[in-house]
């Protein structure tokens, strides 16, 4: 959902989406048609409801009164975030970006994964145990959302409610290039990295796609629909917890691990074997 | 009655050997050999093969404690190998019969995740134990001998006689004198060689015909569509995002050179944007489109770092700067990613304004000329 | 001869009669006896090549099994097999059959993994075997031809690996195929023609999997099989090399006869190699193609690498600078050409012709059947370690993104470490190895001259402390040993000469080395001792009677 010009986007969205979705699915089998129609309706309803949720939020911005949650959030903000992000979320040069318009989804991702508050400035904020409790995160989210709006958390429901195979296809197209085939993570330029998705929760993955934290590109709701995001999450989480049918997974990183195993275990074992054969009885 | 009588015309192998028959059979009569013990025969044969047995360390005394222990060890190892092999059979054949199904389900049932490791464990144990048992057998129960075998250099006699035969044959053929024959043979050989290689010509295809390397399916008015075939509008992407798009032609999303990255720049990036010369108008608003195929080795580059504007190729780590016309800034790539000129059609969807202005993908010999 | 049946000593048992009948027809008794009597030297390092041979047998067997199920076709199909996360996805028939093989064929995954592990082990064993041949000088005349055949087989096994890696048509192998395509294109002048000949057109086409398949299952294995046969025939004809030692000369081989000792051990090794491959195939997952997904030219994963034996070329490509050469007339030699075609070509050419280079440089054209200890040929050893350093460094550079990710190092820093290291590390390795070789040589000489350090400290009347040394042989008037170095290991510890407690029964020691004294004492009169007098190295490792330290070591009878 675009925050820049929702007025122009949303109506055309509603008219064009059904056609597009149908085209997208023409490769699918007959048996999933019914599910697809349901999916279409869901996405329609979702888009509409998102919009309706959105509009009041924008209206609320103009009011100056603060709810209790926002006030608590402000207090937390002033204690832990203000040094880098400024007095009024406007950011500090060379320290932290502006938080105006980043939305509660961004706050959720950054604080829930422990990336914020930052311990020190480095190439990239590492994830660590969250500093704030879930309730405190709610308060921070409310405070940031009230001051500038931005992407919101998905309206509940099962975030893995998507097509597994389609999720895999989308994951390989959009995500695998940085996060590796099944989310093991990978290196980026100059010390940056795409983190492993091993510990990522459904909502963290969802909000990461929605907000594009740090160097990750943003996948807005018009680029990857909420339904597609759920498919991706379903794929990531399914494959993550799926057993390795072939034995020990050795990190699922492919040839580097395999080469290490054949030299250390394979050649190692056989060298011991032939030493023993060559030794005196 | 001999074979000759019953089957006239057949000697039945009964004729006497010629004078050149010779060999050890001449030196040792059957009677002499029959008088020798098996050990003596073994040593005699070895000596004929140039092998001297210097020393034999006999195995353990029959019936000794040492022997019994070694026999037990070897025996148990072989037995364990047999048991492992049998367990392999049990797992292999028993799954789905008296054991749970081996078939793999989405979450992976416990048994289906164990099936393959158990197969490997038992077959590995079976083979390894059999091998260990055999080596133990040779080491602990067989006599150890130290043998020396002579190593002969080439025999002068053999060289001279073989040479004589070869040269004699060549001389008789008269090829050295009969020049016409030599020449015609040479000609024939060359022609035959070419004839036999010629059918490989079926493999050759002209890469310059129709310019398949320099062209893609992009053309004026071709829409930019997603993997699922939906077209893209300028409002669809957030700033700082990347979408892989394909030409709206049949099979466009499987073409090897058509994949394109549609990138929406953030305002800071727009401010810093320095497009390549003559390509300032290739973008549309804050959108730019670059080929996804690396100019180095052809891998899809799409590790997009939206804060640093870098695109990284995962194969050889070339890095391109989106705000500098996708110029390579690190790694082995030498050329910028080709930029696709884009605009918006009447219905508000992104379309290409033309094909890429240059060949997409890895560099080759005459790329500049295409 | 028909007469055999009535000759004295004719077999009376049924088996013997059958054997006689057989030999009447086939006349194999002579060759069989010669084969059974063939002597093999007993040293662990001679078994390395056998590991590779046995891996090849596994590859043939498991590979044949795989062909029953694999479909080398690039026709697009929709997957409908057991594996949920891909069901309904478009993919090539090759990839779908690889999935079916893994999930719908009982034991198919096991065989696939065994094939892949055996392939990795095959090349690894070849490399270790090659290192043994190189560092001991076993490639010298008359074995240059077998060295050459060996290098060709190494290249063929790499080609086997590359084509096999490509067959499943998954996202990882497809990325590799894309790079193979770019490498073909990068060849100057004929690049595009070569590419179109191999791929039957532009990348990716519809032919390549089928073509690689036939190359992988027929062309390369057939050549490899023929070369293995030639390799072994030449080996049998030329007989084994051996390390110098008591009784070993340029004109003999000391060891065990093929039957039964060597045959037992070799079969045992065959079974152990099978066991290791089977255990890996079951217990460690390799190339899980279902996780990689089907190939799509627009998709890629981070950390896309080839198998380890090609990784050095990926590494050289990663660290090579961006140097396109633009020629007049708008022709280009791409940067990709150098680190792939040229580096690989040069490396294998130098490897192949090394015996000729060494022969030229040293002027040593004599036949050699005795091996050299690496320390005795410091230049060759140092060159070898230098080349190995270069190779291993490239190999590591091939995994630099994984290293960067796992150890939190900057990827760009890794690239620079690779670039700088590949230039400065090999010379450093050369110098270090050279010094180590000289040091080891000197130590050997020192022990021969002054004897073994006994660890016994004596105090002389005037207060000086000295360590008692055990001379290895007769000494001259200055107390210096008179033994010359014979190219064999020199004992460095008292228990190796029987001066301390019983010699350690070596897990790591060659068979003759620790037992020399024991054997001499046990069987003084046997033939080996008689022939030794003529060789100077026979006396090395034997303490003469007067040589023992009067008050050092342990009592002799403590040995068991």
């Amino acid at each position: 959902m675009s925050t820049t010009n929702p007025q122009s986007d949303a109506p055309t969205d509603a008219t064009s989406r059904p056609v597009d979705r149908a085209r997208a699915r023409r490769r699918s089998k007959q048996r999933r048609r019914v599910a697809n129609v349901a999916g279409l309706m869901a996405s329609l309803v979702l888009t509409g409801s998102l919009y309706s949720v959105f509009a009041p939020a924008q209206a609320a911005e103009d009011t100056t009164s603060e709810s209790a949650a926002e006030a608590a959030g402000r207090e937390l903000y002033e204690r832990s975030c203000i040094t880098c992000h400024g007095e009024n979320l406007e950011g500090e040069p060379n320290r932290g970006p502006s938080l105006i318009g980043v939305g509660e989804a961004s706050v959720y991702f950054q604080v829930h994964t422990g990336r914020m508050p930052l311990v020190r400035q480095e190439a990239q904020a590492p994830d660590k145990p969250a500093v704030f409790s879930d309730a405190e995160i709610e308060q921070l989210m409310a405070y940031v959302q009230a001051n500038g709006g931005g992407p919101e958390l998905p309206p509940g429901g099962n975030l893995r409610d998507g097509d597994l195979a389609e999720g895999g296809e989308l994951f390989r197209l959009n995500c695998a290039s940085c996060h590796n085939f099944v989310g093991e993570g990978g290196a980026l330029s100059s010390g940056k990295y795409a983190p492993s998705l091993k510990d990522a929760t459904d909502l963290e993955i969802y909000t990461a796609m929605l907000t594009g934290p740090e160097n990750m590109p943003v996948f807005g709701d018009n680029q990857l629909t909420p339904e597609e995001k759920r498919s991706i999450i379903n794929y990531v989480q399914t494959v993550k917890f799926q057993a390795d049918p072939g034995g020990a997974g050795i990190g699922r990183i492919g040839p580097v691990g395999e080469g290490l195993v054949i030299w250390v275990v394979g050649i190692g074992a056989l060298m011991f074997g032939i030493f023993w054969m060559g030794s005196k009885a | 009655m001999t074979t000759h009588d019953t089957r006239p015309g057949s000697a039945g192998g009964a004729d006497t050997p010629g004078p050149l028959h010779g060999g050890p059979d001449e030196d040792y009569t059957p009677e002499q050999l029959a008088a020798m013990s098996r050990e003596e025969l073994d040593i005699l044969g070895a000596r004929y093969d140039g092998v001297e047995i210097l020393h034999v360390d006999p195995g353990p005394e029959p019936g000794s404690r040492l022997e019994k222990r070694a026999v037990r060890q070897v025996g148990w190892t072989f037995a364990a190998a047999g048991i492992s092999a049998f367990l392999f059979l049990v797992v292999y054949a028993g799954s789905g019969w008296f054991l749970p199904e081996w078939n793999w389900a989405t979450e992976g049932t416990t048994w289906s995740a164990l099936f393959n490791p158990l197969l490997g464990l038992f077959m590995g144990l079976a083979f390894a134990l059999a091998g260990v048992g055999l080596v133990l057998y040779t080491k602990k129960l067989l006599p150890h001998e130290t043998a020396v075998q002579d190593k002969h250099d080439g025999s002068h006699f053999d060289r001279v006689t073989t040479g004589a035969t070869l040269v004699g044959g060549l001389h008789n053929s008269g090829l050295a004198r009969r020049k016409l024959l030599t020449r015609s043979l040479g000609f024939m050989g060359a022609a035959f060689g070419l004839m036999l290689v010629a059918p490989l010509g079926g493999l050759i295809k002209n890469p310059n015909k129709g310019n398949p390397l320099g062209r893609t399916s992009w053309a004026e008015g071709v829409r930019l569509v997603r993997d699922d075939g939906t077209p893209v509008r300028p409002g669809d992407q957030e700033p700082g995002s990347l979408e892989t798009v394909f030409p709206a032609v049949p099979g466009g999303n499987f073409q090897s050179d058509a994949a394109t990255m549609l990138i929406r720049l953030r305002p800071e990036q727009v401010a810093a944007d320095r497009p390549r010369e003559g390509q300032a108008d290739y973008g549309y608003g804050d959108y730019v489109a670059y080929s996804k195929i690396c100019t180095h080795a052809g891998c899809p580059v799409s590790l997009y770092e939206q804060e640093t504007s870098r695109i990284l190729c995962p194969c050889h780590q070339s890095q391109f700067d989106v705000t500098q016309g996708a110029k390579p800034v690190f790694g082995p790539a030498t050329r910028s990613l080709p930029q696709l000129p884009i605009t918006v059609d009447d219905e508000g969807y992104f379309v290409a304004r033309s094909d890429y202005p240059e060949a997409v993908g890895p560099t080759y010999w005459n790329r500049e000329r295409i | 001869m028909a007469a055999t049946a009535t000759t004295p000593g004719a077999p009376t048992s049924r088996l013997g009669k059958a054997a006689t009948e057989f030999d009447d027809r086939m006349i194999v008794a002579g060759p069989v006896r010669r084969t059974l009597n063939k002597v093999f030297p007993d040293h662990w390092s001679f078994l390395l090549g056998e590991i590779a041979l046995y891996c090849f047998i596994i590859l043939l067997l498991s590979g044949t099994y795989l062909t029953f199920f694999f479909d080398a076709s690039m026709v697009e199909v929709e997957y409908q097999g057991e594996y949920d996360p891909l069901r309904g996805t478009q993919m090539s028939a090759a990839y779908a059959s690889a999935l079916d093989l893994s999930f719908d064929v009982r034991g198919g995954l096991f065989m696939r993994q065994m094939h892949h592990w055996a392939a990795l082990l095959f090349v690894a064993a070849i490399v270790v075997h090659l290192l043994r041949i190189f560092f001991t000088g076993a490639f010298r005349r008359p074995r240059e031809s077998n060295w050459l055949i060996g290098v060709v087989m190494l290249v063929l096994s790499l080609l086997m690996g590359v084509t096999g890696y490509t067959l499943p048509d998954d996202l990882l192998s497809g990325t590799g195929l894309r790079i193979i395509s770019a490498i073909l294109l990068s060849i100057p002048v004929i690049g595009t023609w070569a590419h179109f000949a191999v791929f039957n057109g532009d990348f990716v086409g519809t032919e390549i999997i089928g073509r690689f398949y036939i190359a992988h299952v027929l062309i390369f294995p057939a050549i490899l099989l023929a070369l293995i046969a030639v390799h072994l025939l030449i080996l049998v004809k030329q007989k084994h090399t051996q390390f110098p030692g008591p009784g070993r000369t340029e004109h003999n081989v000391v060891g065990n006869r093929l039957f039964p000792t060597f045959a037992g051990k070799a079969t045992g090794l065959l079974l152990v190699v099978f066991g290791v491959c089977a255990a890996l195939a079951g217990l460690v997952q390799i190339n899980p193609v279902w996780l990689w997904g089907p190939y799509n030219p627009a998709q890629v994963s981070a950390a896309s690498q080839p198998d380890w034996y090609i990784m050095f070329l990926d590494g050289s490509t990663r660290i090579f600078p961006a140097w396109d050469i633009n020629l007049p007339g708008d022709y280009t030699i791409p940067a990709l050409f150098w680190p792939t075609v040229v580096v690989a070509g040069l490396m294998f050419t130098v490897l192949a012709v090394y015996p000729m280079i060494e022969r030229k440089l040293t002027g040593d054209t004599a036949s050699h059947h005795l091996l050299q200890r690496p320390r005795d040929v410091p230049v060759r050893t140092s060159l070898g370690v230098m080349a190995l350093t270069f190779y291993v460094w490239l190999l590591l550079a091939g995994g630099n993104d994984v290293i960067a990710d796992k150890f939190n190092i900057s990827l760009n820093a890794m690239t620079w470490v690779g670039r700088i290291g590949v230039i400065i590390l090999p010379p450093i390795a050369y110098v270090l190895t050279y010094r180590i070789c000289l040091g080891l040589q000197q130590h050997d000489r020192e022990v021969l001259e002054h004897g073994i350090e006994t660890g016994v400290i004596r105090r002389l009347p005037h207060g000086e402390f000295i360590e008692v040394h055990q001379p290895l042989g007769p000494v001259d008037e200055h107390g210096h040993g008179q033994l010359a170095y014979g190219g064999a290991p020199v004992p460095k510890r008292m228990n190796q000469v029987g001066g301390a407690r019983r010699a350690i029964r070596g897990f790591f020691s060659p068979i003759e080395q620790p037992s020399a004294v024991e054997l001499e004492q046990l069987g003084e009169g046997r033939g080996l001792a008689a022939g030794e007098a003529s060789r100077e190295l026979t006396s090395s490792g034997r303490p003469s009677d007067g040589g023992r330290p009067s008050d050092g070591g342990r009592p002799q009878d403590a040995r068991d």
Side-chain angles (χ1 to χ4, degrees):
Chain A
M1 197 71 177
S2 172
T3 54
T4 46
N5 50 355
Q7 285 77 10
S8 69
D9 274 3
T12 43
D13 214 50
T15 52
S16 69
R17 271 298 173 193
V19 187
D20 299 340
R21 300 307 312 162
R23 282 177 65 186
R25 296 301 184 107
R26 63 168 178 256
R27 280 184 290 147
S28 302
K29 289 286 282 184
Q30 177 76 38
R31 65 175 170 80
R32 249 188 269 119
R33 287 268 161 80
V34 181
N36 287 345
V37 173
L40 285 177
M41 298 313 292
S43 82
L44 261 174
V45 171
L46 201 71
T47 318
S49 58
L50 256 181
Y51 182 59
S52 63
V53 165
F54 208 73
Q58 274 187 328
E61 256 173 53
D62 303 327
T63 66
T64 48
S65 68
E66 261 185 356
S67 72
E70 286 165 31
R74 173 189 291 280
E75 203 166 300
L76 286 169
Y77 177 87
E78 282 171 355
R79 212 167 59 215
S80 301
C81 322
I82 200 161
T83 332
C84 299
H85 293 292
E87 221 167 319
N88 297 306
L89 303 164
E90 77 278 19
E92 288 280 329
N94 299 325
R95 273 204 227 145
S98 162
L99 298 186
I100 297 167
V102 300
E104 61 173 21
S106 187
V107 175
Y108 176 83
F109 175 83
Q110 297 286 357
V111 182
H112 197 260
T113 61
R115 285 182 166 78
M116 294 292 149
L118 204 56
V119 175
R120 61 176 174 276
Q121 298 279 352
E122 30 187 350
Q124 188 169 324
D127 60 323
K128 50 186 185 292
V131 173
F132 295 108
S133 68
D134 283 358
E136 288 170 327
I137 294 173
E138 295 271 339
Q139 292 161 357
L140 274 173
M141 282 160 58
Y143 171 62
V144 172
Q145 189 68 27
N147 292 279
E152 294 177 354
L153 294 192
N158 184 3
L159 288 180
R160 299 187 192 180
D161 186 17
D163 184 292
L164 193 57
E166 191 202 5
E169 199 63 12
L170 288 168
F171 183 84
R172 285 187 292 276
L173 185 66
N174 294 302
C175 321
S177 50
C178 299
H179 290 285
N180 210 326
F181 292 106
V182 283
E184 291 296 328
L188 295 174
S189 73
S190 304
K192 297 182 286 291
Y193 58 91
S196 162
L197 306 181
K198 200 174 292 165
D199 303 322
T201 64
D202 296 354
L203 194 55
E204 284 169 6
I205 300 175
Y206 193 99
T207 49
M209 286 192 278
L210 196 61
T211 61
E214 300 195 65
N215 269 301
M216 177 167 161
V218 188
F219 295 92
D221 277 345
N222 290 337
Q223 184 178 345
L224 285 178
T225 62
E227 194 199 27
E228 287 172 331
K229 286 195 178 78
R230 284 162 206 257
S231 299
I232 290 177
I233 292 169
N234 187 12
Y235 179 77
V236 171
Q237 305 291 34
T238 305
V239 171
K240 186 160 84 185
F241 293 113
Q242 156 190 313
D244 282 315
I250 50 170
R252 293 179 172 182
I253 50 165
V256 173
E258 293 157 8
L260 207 62
V261 167
I262 201 65
W263 276 99
V264 175
V265 179
I267 290 288
L270 286 171
M271 288 301 263
F272 267 90
I274 60 176
F275 284 150
W276 173 64
M277 280 177 207
S279 70
K280 212 167 147 352
Chain B
M1 185 139 81
T2 65
T3 316
H4 190 75
D5 298 329
T6 52
R7 302 261 171 88
S10 163
D15 56 350
T16 48
L20 291 177
H21 189 71
D25 283 318
E26 297 287 286
D27 303 336
Y28 296 92
T29 61
E31 289 77 17
Q32 276 174 306
L33 290 176
M36 291 167 85
S37 71
R38 201 172 59 222
E39 286 75 22
E40 283 169 330
L41 284 171
D42 178 34
I43 289 172
L44 178 68
R47 184 160 291 153
Y48 256 91
D49 297 330
V51 175
E52 189 83 45
I53 287 124
L54 294 181
H55 168 72
V56 180
D57 200 2
E61 195 89 8
S64 67
R65 247 184 64 221
L66 198 65
E67 195 209 18
K68 278 184 184 148
R69 207 174 66 189
V71 167
R72 258 201 316 276
Q73 234 176 40
V74 174
W76 279 118
T77 315
F78 282 145
I83 291 170
S84 297
F86 181 73
L87 285 176
F88 176 89
L89 285 177
V90 167
V91 173
Y92 186 83
S95 290
W97 174 16
F98 50 86
L99 290 168
E101 271 296 335
W102 67 274
N103 285 70
W104 196 88
T106 313
E107 286 81 24
T109 60
T110 313
W111 187 254
S112 67
L114 278 176
F115 179 67
N116 194 63
L118 285 178
L119 288 186
L121 182 72
F122 291 134
M123 190 189 266
L125 268 181
F127 272 123
L129 285 173
V132 166
L134 200 54
V135 174
L136 279 178
Y137 200 118
T138 51
K139 282 173 69 126
K140 299 209 161 175
L141 287 169
L142 290 182
H144 296 279
E145 58 175 34
T146 308
V148 176
Q149 185 164 31
D150 274 342
K151 199 177 284 184
H152 298 289
D153 287 336
S155 144
H156 181 68
F157 174 82
D158 285 349
R159 283 175 198 167
V160 171
T161 48
T162 311
T165 310
L166 274 177
V167 174
L170 200 65
H171 179 79
N172 291 343
S173 75
L175 280 181
R177 284 181 295 114
R178 297 163 185 156
K179 288 275 180 262
L180 177 70
L181 267 182
T182 323
R183 283 179 198 144
S184 60
L185 266 176
F187 170 74
M188 187 185 80
F192 258 68
L194 287 177
M195 177 180 76
L196 292 177
V197 174
L200 284 179
L203 285 174
I204 295 175
K205 254 189 141 180
N206 188 348
N208 303 320
K209 207 161 84 188
N211 194 11
L213 285 167
R215 245 188 18 215
T216 69
S217 297
W218 293 106
E220 192 182 348
V222 173
R223 273 190 183 166
L224 282 61
V225 295
R226 299 187 178 93
D227 191 34
D228 57 12
T230 51
V232 188
R233 285 172 302 106
D236 283 352
Q237 281 176 238
E238 303 288 332
S241 66
L242 174 149
E243 169 106 82
T244 304
V245 291
F246 304 91
V249 296
N253 59 345
F254 276 98
Q255 284 174 358
S256 59
D257 50 5
T260 299
M261 297 176 289
L262 183 61
I263 296 168
R264 183 166 181 189
L265 302 172
R266 289 176 298 114
E268 298 90 320
Q269 288 174 306
V270 175
D273 194 22
R274 301 279 172 278
R276 283 165 75 184
E277 218 180 308
Q279 304 191 352
D281 60 340
Y282 273 27
Y284 180 83
D286 47 3
Y287 279 90
V288 286
Y290 290 103
S291 166
K292 197 178 184 178
I293 310 302
C294 185
T295 57
H296 176 239
C299 294
V301 285
S302 54
L303 285 72
Y304 177 49
E305 303 170 6
Q306 56 127 334
E307 280 187 344
T308 55
S309 309
R310 285 194 179 194
I311 291 179
L312 174 72
C313 176
C315 290
H316 304 106
Q317 283 102 44
S318 300
Q319 292 162 21
F320 304 88
D321 192 330
V322 170
T323 58
Q324 298 183 56
K327 187 179 86 176
V329 289
F330 189 84
T334 51
R335 288 186 297 112
S336 305
L337 296 171
Q339 187 172 5
L340 185 71
I342 51 169
T343 185
V344 168
D345 67 7
D346 306 339
E347 293 176 54
Y349 294 114
F350 276 119
V351 290
R353 276 162 49 199
S354 71
D355 197 356
Y356 284 102
E358 55 189 319
V360 164
T363 315
Y364 45 88
W365 178 246
N366 55 349
R367 198 194 73 91
E368 298 286 326
R369 296 169 66 93
I370 284 180
Chain C
M1 284 192 294
T4 0
T6 56
T7 44
T12 47
S13 67
R14 281 179 75 161
L15 198 65
K17 279 178 184 158
T20 310
E21 289 288 320
F22 186 74
D23 191 58
D24 269 347
R25 288 160 179 79
M26 295 297 157
I27 322 179
V28 290
V32 166
R33 191 197 64 221
R34 274 192 286 286
T35 311
L36 296 182
N37 276 331
K38 188 174 163 48
V39 172
F40 287 85
D42 195 4
H43 191 270
W44 60 267
S45 69
F46 296 118
L47 297 173
L48 293 168
E50 281 181 41
I51 297 179
L53 179 68
Y54 301 147
C55 285
F56 187 70
I57 295 174
I58 301 177
L59 287 170
L60 286 183
L61 295 176
S62 57
T64 307
Y65 178 91
L66 297 182
T67 60
F68 297 154
F69 303 98
F70 181 66
D71 174 13
S73 150
M74 295 173 82
V75 174
E76 285 289 311
V77 296
E78 192 180 283
Y79 178 65
Q80 291 299 347
E82 279 288 332
Y83 186 67
D84 255 5
L86 286 172
R87 203 174 296 142
T89 307
Q90 295 289 316
M91 57 181 63
S92 68
Y95 182 65
S97 69
L99 289 179
D100 288 343
L101 178 58
S102 306
F103 290 108
D104 296 69
V105 177
R106 187 184 288 249
L109 177 62
F110 179 63
M111 292 304 264
R112 227 198 83 223
Q113 298 205 131
M114 176 131 75
H115 193 70
H116 205 135
W117 279 120
L120 296 195
L121 189 60
F122 179 54
V123 190
I126 291 179
V127 169
V128 181
H129 175 58
L130 178 138
L131 292 177
R132 202 281 291 171
I133 302 289
F134 180 87
F135 284 116
T136 58
F139 56 82
R140 292 173 299 167
R141 186 177 172 184
R143 294 182 176 78
E144 304 100 325
S145 46
N146 238 9
W147 168 268
L148 214 60
I149 291 171
V151 173
V152 173
M153 287 199 292
L154 173 61
V155 174
L156 275 174
S157 62
L158 297 191
L159 289 174
M160 289 274 277
V162 168
T163 47
Y165 172 87
T166 307
L167 292 183
D169 201 26
D170 56 285
L171 190 48
L172 182 61
S173 72
T175 307
L177 189 62
R178 178 89 221 198
I179 298 172
I180 293 172
S181 143
I183 292 170
L184 275 175
L185 277 177
S186 78
I187 303 170
V189 188
I190 58 155
T192 51
W193 289 86
H195 184 283
F196 273 61
V198 172
F199 283 77
N200 196 31
D202 198 1
F203 183 81
V204 57
T206 54
E207 306 285 324
I208 192 65
I209 297 286
R211 287 186 179 179
F212 272 24
Y213 182 61
I214 207 67
H216 182 77
V217 303
L218 181 70
I219 302 174
F220 295 143
I223 303 174
L224 208 48
L225 206 56
L227 286 178
I228 288 174
V230 177
H231 200 68
L232 294 180
L233 277 178
I234 293 179
L235 167 101
V236 168
K237 191 77 203 154
Q238 292 178 336
K239 296 205 170 74
H240 258 291
T241 54
Q242 58 187 347
F243 283 99
R248 295 171 178 182
T249 71
E250 292 281 4
H251 301 286
N252 70 11
V253 187
V254 179
N256 300 317
R257 284 192 290 170
L258 173 75
F259 189 78
T261 317
F262 185 79
K265 284 189 178 180
T267 315
L269 182 59
L270 170 99
L271 293 170
V272 169
V273 172
F274 270 52
V276 167
C277 284
L280 279 173
L283 298 174
V284 189
Q285 180 165 288
I286 188 166
N287 200 22
V289 288
W290 56 92
L291 295 180
W292 303 163
Y295 180 58
N296 179 330
Q299 298 174 357
V300 75
S301 163
S304 285
Q305 262 109 3
D307 277 342
W308 78 263
Y309 41 81
I310 302 292
M311 223 176 265
F312 75 103
L313 285 182
D314 208 42
S316 64
T317 311
R318 287 173 181 206
I319 63 177
F320 196 79
W323 290 343
D324 273 2
I325 296 178
N326 293 306
L327 301 173
D330 276 346
Y331 291 112
T332 317
I333 302 178
L336 184 61
F337 175 64
W338 305 104
T340 53
V341 183
V342 174
V343 163
L346 274 180
M347 280 172 75
F348 288 113
T349 309
V350 169
L351 193 66
V353 301
Y354 182 81
M356 298 42 151
I357 297 174
E358 188 182 296
R359 206 170 55 194
K360 203 87 187 165
L361 293 182
T362 59
D364 178 4
T365 55
S367 276
H368 295 280
H369 300 287
L370 283 178
L371 297 173
Q372 290 168 305
R373 301 177 81 198
R375 68 185 64 175
D376 294 334
V377 206
V379 175
R380 181 204 296 146
T381 306
S382 310
L383 281 175
V385 174
M386 185 168 104
L388 197 60
T389 310
F390 179 75
Y391 173 81
V392 170
W393 200 250
L394 291 186
L395 189 71
L396 290 177
N400 64 2
D401 49 348
V402 175
I403 297 173
D405 187 43
K406 297 288 170 202
F407 296 98
N408 284 331
I409 306 169
S410 159
L411 187 58
N412 296 28
M414 279 304 294
T415 306
W416 276 107
V417 166
R419 286 175 178 171
I420 296 166
V422 85
I423 292 169
I424 64 165
L425 284 181
I428 292 177
Y430 182 93
V431 173
L432 276 181
T433 314
Y434 199 88
R435 299 316 305 179
I436 290 171
C437 285
L438 291 191
L440 289 170
Q441 275 186 21
Q442 262 172 2
H443 190 218
D444 282 348
R445 303 301 189 281
E446 192 189 299
V447 170
L448 286 172
E449 194 173 346
H450 296 291
I452 302 172
E453 294 173 352
T454 58
V456 176
I457 310 291
R458 286 177 71 184
R459 190 176 177 199
L460 299 183
H462 55 276
E464 184 192 352
F465 287 95
I466 57 157
E467 185 183 5
V468 177
H469 282 71
Q470 162 69 62
L472 290 172
V475 292
D476 61 11
E477 62 272 24
H478 302 293
H480 289 161
Q482 291 168 314
L483 295 173
Y485 178 66
V490 173
K492 300 273 174 73
R493 289 190 304 275
M494 284 305 287
N495 53 10
Q496 287 175 309
V497 293
R501 278 207 296 199
R502 173 195 175 126
I504 292 170
R505 290 265 171 104
F507 199 75
F508 293 95
S509 308
I511 186 159
E512 260 92 359
Q513 190 193 347
S515 60
V517 173
E518 257 183 354
L519 286 179
E520 191 181 58
Q521 286 171 343
L522 285 174
E524 209 50 80
R526 63 190 173 79
L528 190 59
E532 282 170 358
S534 57
R535 287 184 55 80
E536 53 187 11
L537 55 87
T538 51
S539 47
S540 77
R542 282 144 207 265
S544 63
D545 288 335
R548 292 184 196 287
S550 53
D551 52 353
R554 289 162 194 276
Q556 289 295 300
D557 49 39
R559 294 190 293 130
D560 49 0

